[in-house]
Amino acid sequence: MRAWRLVEDEPAEPQPGPERPRAVGRYLVVAAVMLVGLVGAGGLAAAQTGMFAERPDGCAQPDRSVQLYAVELPKDGTQTRIGYGLTPETASYPGPLMEMMEGECLAITLHNLVPEATLAALRTNPSHPLGVSLHVHGVKYTQESDGTVQSGSYVPPGGSRTYTWYAQPRNTKTGAQGTAGYWWYHDHVVGGPHGTQGLAAGLFGGLVVRRPGDPKPDRTYTVVFGNQQSINLRRGAAIDTCAEVDPQPGPTCMVARMGERVEFVVVGAGNDMHTFHLHGHSWADTRTGVVSNGQPLADSVPIIDTKVLGPAQTFGVSVVAGESVGPGHWMLHCHMQFHSDAGMSTMLHVLDGNGNMPPGMDHQHAAAAPAAAAAPATDDGTHVHN
Amino acid sequence: MRAWRLVEDEPAEPQPGPERPRAVGRYLVVAAVMLVGLVGAGGLAAAQTGMFAERPDGCAQPDRSVQLYAVELPKDGTQTRIGYGLTPETASYPGPLMEMMEGECLAITLHNLVPEATLAALRTNPSHPLGVSLHVHGVKYTQESDGTVQSGSYVPPGGSRTYTWYAQPRNTKTGAQGTAGYWWYHDHVVGGPHGTQGLAAGLFGGLVVRRPGDPKPDRTYTVVFGNQQSINLRRGAAIDTCAEVDPQPGPTCMVARMGERVEFVVVGAGNDMHTFHLHGHSWADTRTGVVSNGQPLADSVPIIDTKVLGPAQTFGVSVVAGESVGPGHWMLHCHMQFHSDAGMSTMLHVLDGNGNMPPGMDHQHAAAAPAAAAAPATDDGTHVHN
Amino acid sequence: MRAWRLVEDEPAEPQPGPERPRAVGRYLVVAAVMLVGLVGAGGLAAAQTGMFAERPDGCAQPDRSVQLYAVELPKDGTQTRIGYGLTPETASYPGPLMEMMEGECLAITLHNLVPEATLAALRTNPSHPLGVSLHVHGVKYTQESDGTVQSGSYVPPGGSRTYTWYAQPRNTKTGAQGTAGYWWYHDHVVGGPHGTQGLAAGLFGGLVVRRPGDPKPDRTYTVVFGNQQSINLRRGAAIDTCAEVDPQPGPTCMVARMGERVEFVVVGAGNDMHTFHLHGHSWADTRTGVVSNGQPLADSVPIIDTKVLGPAQTFGVSVVAGESVGPGHWMLHCHMQFHSDAGMSTMLHVLDGNGNMPPGMDHQHAAAAPAAAAAPATDDGTHVHN
């Protein structure tokens, strides 16, 4: 734990990390990353000494560890881009989808590879400390893992810090409500006390916490609606690979076969309101997007195909691709007209059972899906489909 | 099916319809409409040949057919107005309320009577095709009925096209969630790939899909909150008939007797957020606006009297007029203050059991309900109350 | 009842109240207030004569009476401030939290102590009447208690009027949905027909209606998100007492001990959308913020930590302070980035079981909680915790 107490003690004058060589090519990567892996130490001592707790109750020992890297990506025009990655080379925005089961405790060590000068340029107030952080929604974490300036839980340039997330389960005896749901994680420090510049740069990603018995998706896509009306969500290294004639699943290409269960992790970011709409499909407005039939109140649950989305709001949509409606290019867009007109629109490409797109209208695809359209990124790394 | 394959093959150069005489008077109506009624043909063949499916699964044969007309209405100042109507003479905005039961399959033949020049003037890009369409929310439809440019499923000036909507029922075995709910239909083509100019002109209407056992309304009103802060929803031909002293139900006059169940189909359109509020009444935030008592989770359901509404979001509010609170002029308004101040406010007039409004404050009615206030249109045609 | 019929008869020329002495010091208070306490008379007669009902059905006799005062407070810069108070001296914005049990009927006599000149200066139209009112959400009230101009149910300067609120219970036989929930009350008259200037001045407060069996909070805080992005909710007389080192519960200081149930009454006001977010805690998206385990549909209920909030929308959030996450300074903020950056951010200070804040990061508190941050007001007066 000592490693990051140093960080807290000197927030305005962070310790410089090891010399950062300038990356050649696409990424700005620190060659040597000093991993700080003190997972599992100190929590009880902190509680006993009256310090802030290091670990959430119920998480004496993390079940799993993940390394996460904050990396500067090539600019989009004048917009600085920073992404999270499970390796420095695969950093992207949104970052990798994280998946947990209720009951699981996850230790994530964040390595800040972003050049100090980049963070300084994004700062809105010269007294604001330089660093990146990991703030998460939905799961349990102590102040040590809050990812905020006032708790000192951020990572200066070149540094590392381990954040602990606990997917607290429902508990009938204690009344704990559980943490299963669709969430996100993001920076809370870059530029100012709410991480607004970090979010604008791309420091965010989706998180799903599942409960035993939840429907299992065949494919999961993270879709983020942000400030720019023509938002363009791509991985850092990815090129838009969504072919018009024979689209195949890829970082920015949402594809599913008929009958597959497709799950969208929908995230709002920035300042604006949006309305998420998917053509031809609908879902139950519940935790998982489905509701079991035959239950007493199942008839009371709204079925919807459009849902309001505000900044930091997250929800999950789960549909069976093409159910009843068949294959095709199904639009997914913000239904605020000025947003969709500005390009906040993309497609779910539903292939037939053989993995082919029926011919007939592929040539018209481009008309409604401009190159600048909202292209969501798929997950990777921690995401395993069963 | 061939009839509209022609349309798809030449989207940029639509076939002109029969000579369109200029309407004298209130409507611009095509004198002779060539009805295209190929309902029921071709679906299976398309599926077998690998074409996009014509019909949703479960809808081998439509149960009912409807003719729908897109008609230019007199301008509101400089704003072009276009409405849908069950006849050309009754076109309005919002268009007629559509009602379906779960399990029902509906074939709607849309006839585009809007002059080509009008559509051309609304176009934001000269390469965008001219036409109107029918895109629907909530129910099932194939790409042939998507109402979009990229699927070719729109109607050039003078043309017709049949759209098939399937109110897929809940199914315990397959897990289908059902399509009962409050929805809307709208153009997706006029002006640009998202139909923004068509929506602004008035090409939208409400849709209710009911499930056996749902509460039966005595009166249903469609209320649309759109872009203009002083939105004025009137039928094309209707004059605001809402008398202050003795209001009677009419196109723009929401009236109910004490104890009647009043259902509002609430629709958001355009770019803005709103909050729907009704004085003196509240409802359960469920699919139908009610929740049965005595059920295990009934106590968990929020009871509300204000609900956020975003573009393309739709919901149903069902209340018993005057229950506990008595007759009177009950305000219904957007609770964003600058919207209500700009006139986005109207009244639900609740009469006593004899159909009379008790005297006492009629003279003050006008003060809070300016002539420019939001006046919803009632439904007609397909709407039958039991 | 006669006392306020006079008011209704002359809305544009209100009766001046007794001579209002100019308050010395902090409040502008009427020295002598003529209480009008006609609670309990007239309702049946009105119904029989065809007048608008005075009382909601089920509320023949109020169970409880409250006096409420509308009082001008010192200006915030150029912004006129008016608050409601259970006494003139304790007027504040938000006003006192009102709490009711389902089944209860409450008579609230509002005394308008606001100088006529103040109301005249806020008027947007010279023909608009001068007065303040009490409009309430969620509970049942007749047109006599609507608080609107068109119903004549407002209070001219110096006058008084009794409003009757009925927390109608669920009723299995009649189908009544009940009124338990999180609501608010506010002026609907100052400045214009929707009370926009009254709301901007501070004439609003929270209301909770409880149902037997609902979880009992240890502490309740009212949090209002309004127009100004740096909204500052303080009682009129309170000074921000939220110490950084040893914060104690106070009008603008949200504090709880580990394990206490903290209830937030969250209210939207004005024109803007917001997203309410609380760090480290989450809740069920139900009427009370909790859902009982072991019930058939409990797994379908979304668990959230961020909720969209529009003007006049209200909801309740109920959390166990520090559960699993421990003590600390837990941020509560609007997650629209430009709102939080502008100061719409505050803290829930969770103390340990002994009522102490563990040391370690208090010195960094100020960085993220500027003095101008959103500081909610606690309730008083009618608020009794069990």
Side-chain angles (χ1 to χ4, degrees):
Chain A
M1 183 170 163
R2 202 169 306 152
W4 62 74
R5 297 304 300 176
L6 286 174
V7 171
E8 289 182 63
D9 292 341
E10 301 183 21
E13 286 286 327
Q15 297 286 88
E19 197 62 27
R20 283 183 301 280
R22 197 120 187 112
V24 181
R26 215 171 160 79
Y27 295 100
L28 306 173
V29 179
V30 172
V33 176
M34 189 179 64
L35 299 190
V36 182
L38 294 178
V39 170
L44 187 59
Q48 289 176 335
T49 59
M51 301 292 290
F52 285 85
E54 188 189 351
R55 302 266 170 65
D57 286 346
C59 172
Q61 181 72 28
D63 301 295
R64 192 157 50 104
S65 294
V66 168
Q67 307 300 314
L68 192 69
Y69 302 82
V71 178
E72 183 171 5
L73 303 172
K75 279 190 165 64
D76 271 353
T78 60
Q79 171 67 60
T80 296
R81 289 293 181 200
I82 309 175
Y84 293 113
L86 295 171
T87 66
E89 293 74 20
T90 55
S92 63
Y93 56 96
L97 179 71
M98 302 291 186
E99 286 189 88
M100 300 176 74
M101 287 298 295
E102 268 194 355
E104 193 178 17
C105 184
L106 180 63
I108 304 182
T109 301
L110 174 64
H111 309 282
N112 180 0
L113 310 188
V114 183
E116 186 170 336
T118 299
L119 297 174
L122 292 173
R123 185 157 60 172
T124 56
N125 181 331
S127 70
H128 184 73
L130 298 179
V132 301
S133 83
L134 193 60
H135 173 73
V136 66
H137 286 243
V139 292
K140 298 297 179 184
Y141 55 86
T142 69
Q143 291 261 309
E144 296 285 340
S145 294
D146 194 21
T148 55
V149 171
Q150 103 276 354
S151 62
S153 51
Y154 61 96
V155 190
S160 299
R161 183 183 184 87
T162 299
Y163 296 85
T164 305
W165 298 354
Y166 177 45
Q168 188 189 37
R170 291 178 70 85
N171 186 317
T172 306
K173 290 184 183 172
T174 66
Q177 301 281 302
T179 52
Y182 293 83
W183 309 103
W184 71 322
Y185 61 90
H186 61 85
D187 172 73
H188 211 299
V189 168
V190 175
H194 289 278
T196 301
Q197 302 306 316
L199 283 162
L203 281 171
F204 51 79
L207 165 66
V208 185
V209 177
R210 303 189 191 282
R211 184 173 291 166
D214 281 0
K216 291 184 182 174
D218 297 298
R219 300 183 183 279
T220 298
Y221 295 101
T222 303
V223 185
V224 183
F225 289 77
N227 268 0
Q228 296 77 20
Q229 294 176 4
S230 179
I231 192 169
N232 188 352
L233 295 178
R234 290 196 184 91
R235 291 176 175 283
I239 301 194
D240 192 325
T241 60
C242 216
E244 291 178 11
V245 175
D246 185 21
Q248 296 302 321
T252 60
C253 192
M254 296 195 296
V255 178
R257 287 192 184 193
M258 281 288 299
E260 287 186 325
R261 179 165 291 280
V262 180
E263 174 184 64
F264 298 96
V265 181
V266 186
V267 176
N271 300 331
D272 300 340
M273 299 297 302
H274 305 280
T275 45
F276 173 94
H277 172 51
L278 176 61
H279 283 214
H281 300 75
S282 55
W283 60 92
D285 195 13
T286 61
R287 179 176 62 83
T288 59
V290 302
V291 62
S292 299
N293 292 321
Q295 294 195 336
L297 273 185
D299 272 346
S300 296
V301 174
I303 304 297
I304 58 177
D305 73 354
T306 303
K307 190 171 169 78
V308 164
L309 177 68
Q313 189 189 5
T314 48
F315 56 80
V317 169
S318 177
V319 301
V320 177
E323 187 211 0
S324 177
V325 304
H329 305 286
W330 294 102
M331 295 179 79
L332 180 160
H333 60 90
C334 179
H335 216 306
M336 289 185 158
Q337 300 297 134
F338 66 160
H339 285 184
S340 48
D341 284 348
M344 198 172 263
S345 178
T346 185
M347 296 277 180
L348 172 65
H349 305 279
V350 178
L351 310 177
D352 66 20
N354 298 320
N356 300 314
M357 177 62 71
M361 51 194 72
D362 290 333
H363 61 291
Q364 294 161 327
H365 176 196
T378 53
D379 51 276
D380 68 2
T382 60
H383 185 212
V384 179
H385 289 307
N386 304 91
Chain B
M1 182 170 164
R2 201 168 308 152
W4 62 75
R5 296 305 299 175
L6 286 175
V7 171
E8 290 182 63
D9 292 341
E10 301 182 20
E13 286 286 328
Q15 297 288 88
E19 197 64 27
R20 283 183 301 279
R22 193 115 190 120
V24 181
R26 218 173 156 75
Y27 294 101
L28 307 172
V29 179
V30 172
V33 176
M34 189 180 62
L35 299 189
V36 181
L38 294 178
V39 169
L44 188 59
Q48 290 175 335
T49 59
M51 301 291 290
F52 285 86
E54 188 189 352
R55 301 263 172 67
D57 285 346
C59 174
Q61 181 72 28
D63 301 296
R64 192 156 52 104
S65 294
V66 168
Q67 307 299 314
L68 192 67
Y69 302 81
V71 178
E72 183 171 5
L73 303 171
K75 278 191 166 62
D76 270 354
T78 60
Q79 172 66 61
T80 296
R81 290 293 180 200
I82 308 175
Y84 293 112
L86 295 171
T87 67
E89 293 75 20
T90 55
S92 63
Y93 57 96
L97 179 70
M98 301 291 185
E99 285 189 272
M100 300 175 74
M101 288 298 293
E102 268 194 354
E104 193 178 18
C105 184
L106 180 62
I108 304 182
T109 301
L110 174 63
H111 310 282
N112 180 0
L113 310 188
V114 183
E116 187 169 337
T118 299
L119 296 174
L122 292 173
R123 184 158 60 172
T124 55
N125 180 331
S127 70
H128 185 74
L130 297 179
V132 301
S133 84
L134 194 60
H135 172 74
V136 67
H137 285 244
V139 292
K140 299 297 179 185
Y141 55 87
T142 69
Q143 291 261 307
E144 296 284 339
S145 294
D146 193 21
T148 54
V149 171
Q150 103 276 355
S151 62
S153 51
Y154 60 96
V155 189
S160 300
R161 181 183 185 86
T162 298
Y163 295 85
T164 305
W165 298 352
Y166 176 46
Q168 187 189 37
R170 290 178 71 86
N171 186 317
T172 306
K173 290 183 183 172
T174 66
Q177 300 282 303
T179 52
Y182 293 82
W183 310 103
W184 71 320
Y185 61 89
H186 62 85
D187 172 72
H188 211 300
V189 168
V190 175
H194 288 278
T196 300
Q197 303 305 316
L199 282 163
L203 281 171
F204 51 78
L207 164 66
V208 185
V209 177
R210 303 189 192 282
R211 184 172 292 166
D214 281 359
K216 291 184 181 175
D218 297 297
R219 301 184 181 279
T220 298
Y221 295 102
T222 302
V223 185
V224 183
F225 290 76
N227 267 0
Q228 297 78 19
Q229 293 176 4
S230 178
I231 193 168
N232 189 351
L233 296 178
R234 289 197 184 91
R235 289 177 175 284
I239 300 192
D240 191 326
T241 59
C242 215
E244 290 178 12
V245 174
D246 186 20
Q248 296 301 322
T252 60
C253 192
M254 296 196 296
V255 178
R257 286 193 185 194
M258 281 289 297
E260 287 186 327
R261 180 166 290 280
V262 180
E263 175 183 63
F264 298 96
V265 181
V266 185
V267 176
N271 299 331
D272 299 340
M273 299 298 302
H274 306 280
T275 44
F276 173 94
H277 173 50
L278 175 62
H279 283 214
H281 299 74
S282 56
W283 60 92
D285 196 13
T286 62
R287 178 176 63 84
T288 59
V290 303
V291 62
S292 299
N293 292 319
Q295 295 194 335
L297 273 185
D299 272 345
S300 296
V301 174
I303 303 298
I304 58 176
D305 73 354
T306 302
K307 192 172 166 77
V308 164
L309 177 68
Q313 189 189 4
T314 48
F315 56 80
V317 170
S318 177
V319 300
V320 176
E323 186 211 0
S324 176
V325 303
H329 306 286
W330 295 102
M331 296 180 78
L332 180 160
H333 61 90
C334 179
H335 216 305
M336 287 184 159
Q337 300 297 133
F338 66 160
H339 285 184
S340 47
D341 284 348
M344 198 170 264
S345 179
T346 185
M347 295 278 181
L348 171 66
H349 306 278
V350 178
L351 310 178
D352 65 19
N354 299 319
N356 300 315
M357 177 61 72
M361 51 194 75
D362 290 333
H363 60 290
Q364 293 160 326
H365 175 196
T378 52
D379 50 277
D380 69 359
T382 59
H383 185 210
V384 179
H385 289 306
N386 304 90
Chain C
M1 182 171 165
R2 201 169 307 151
W4 62 75
R5 297 305 298 177
L6 287 174
V7 171
E8 289 182 61
D9 292 341
E10 302 181 20
E13 287 287 325
Q15 297 285 90
E19 196 63 25
R20 282 183 303 281
R22 196 116 188 117
V24 181
R26 213 167 162 80
Y27 295 100
L28 307 173
V29 180
V30 172
V33 177
M34 189 178 64
L35 299 190
V36 181
L38 294 178
V39 170
L44 187 59
Q48 289 176 337
T49 58
M51 300 292 289
F52 285 83
E54 186 190 350
R55 301 266 171 65
D57 286 347
C59 173
Q61 181 72 27
D63 301 295
R64 191 156 51 103
S65 293
V66 168
Q67 307 299 314
L68 192 69
Y69 302 82
V71 178
E72 183 171 5
L73 303 171
K75 279 190 166 63
D76 271 352
T78 61
Q79 171 66 61
T80 295
R81 289 293 180 200
I82 308 174
Y84 293 113
L86 295 172
T87 67
E89 292 76 18
T90 55
S92 62
Y93 58 94
L97 179 71
M98 302 290 188
E99 286 189 271
M100 301 176 74
M101 287 298 294
E102 267 195 357
E104 193 179 16
C105 184
L106 180 62
I108 303 182
T109 301
L110 174 65
H111 310 282
N112 180 1
L113 310 188
V114 183
E116 187 169 336
T118 299
L119 297 174
L122 292 173
R123 185 157 62 171
T124 56
N125 180 332
S127 70
H128 184 73
L130 297 179
V132 301
S133 84
L134 194 60
H135 173 73
V136 66
H137 285 244
V139 292
K140 299 297 179 185
Y141 54 86
T142 69
Q143 291 261 310
E144 296 284 340
S145 294
D146 193 21
T148 55
V149 171
Q150 104 275 353
S151 63
S153 51
Y154 61 96
V155 190
S160 298
R161 182 182 184 87
T162 298
Y163 297 84
T164 305
W165 298 353
Y166 177 45
Q168 188 189 38
R170 291 177 69 86
N171 187 317
T172 307
K173 290 184 181 171
T174 66
Q177 301 281 304
T179 53
Y182 293 83
W183 310 102
W184 71 320
Y185 61 89
H186 62 84
D187 172 72
H188 211 299
V189 168
V190 174
H194 289 278
T196 300
Q197 302 305 317
L199 282 163
L203 282 170
F204 51 80
L207 165 66
V208 185
V209 177
R210 304 189 191 282
R211 184 173 292 165
D214 281 359
K216 290 184 182 175
D218 298 297
R219 302 185 181 278
T220 298
Y221 294 101
T222 303
V223 184
V224 183
F225 290 75
N227 268 0
Q228 296 77 21
Q229 294 176 4
S230 177
I231 193 168
N232 189 352
L233 296 179
R234 289 197 184 89
R235 290 175 176 285
I239 301 194
D240 191 325
T241 58
C242 216
E244 290 178 12
V245 175
D246 186 22
Q248 296 301 322
T252 60
C253 191
M254 297 195 296
V255 178
R257 287 193 185 193
M258 280 289 299
E260 287 186 327
R261 179 165 291 281
V262 179
E263 175 183 63
F264 298 96
V265 181
V266 186
V267 176
N271 300 331
D272 300 339
M273 299 298 301
H274 306 280
T275 44
F276 173 93
H277 173 50
L278 176 61
H279 283 214
H281 299 74
S282 55
W283 60 91
D285 196 15
T286 61
R287 178 176 63 82
T288 60
V290 301
V291 62
S292 299
N293 291 321
Q295 295 195 335
L297 273 185
D299 272 346
S300 297
V301 173
I303 304 297
I304 58 175
D305 72 355
T306 303
K307 190 172 167 78
V308 165
L309 177 69
Q313 189 188 4
T314 47
F315 55 82
V317 170
S318 177
V319 301
V320 177
E323 186 211 4
S324 176
V325 303
H329 306 286
W330 294 103
M331 295 179 78
L332 181 160
H333 61 90
C334 179
H335 216 306
M336 287 185 158
Q337 300 298 134
F338 66 161
H339 284 184
S340 48
D341 284 346
M344 197 171 263
S345 178
T346 185
M347 296 277 180
L348 171 65
H349 304 278
V350 178
L351 309 178
D352 66 20
N354 298 320
N356 300 315
M357 176 63 70
M361 51 194 74
D362 291 334
H363 61 291
Q364 293 159 327
H365 176 196
T378 52
D379 50 278
D380 69 358
T382 60
H383 185 209
V384 179
H385 289 307
N386 305 92

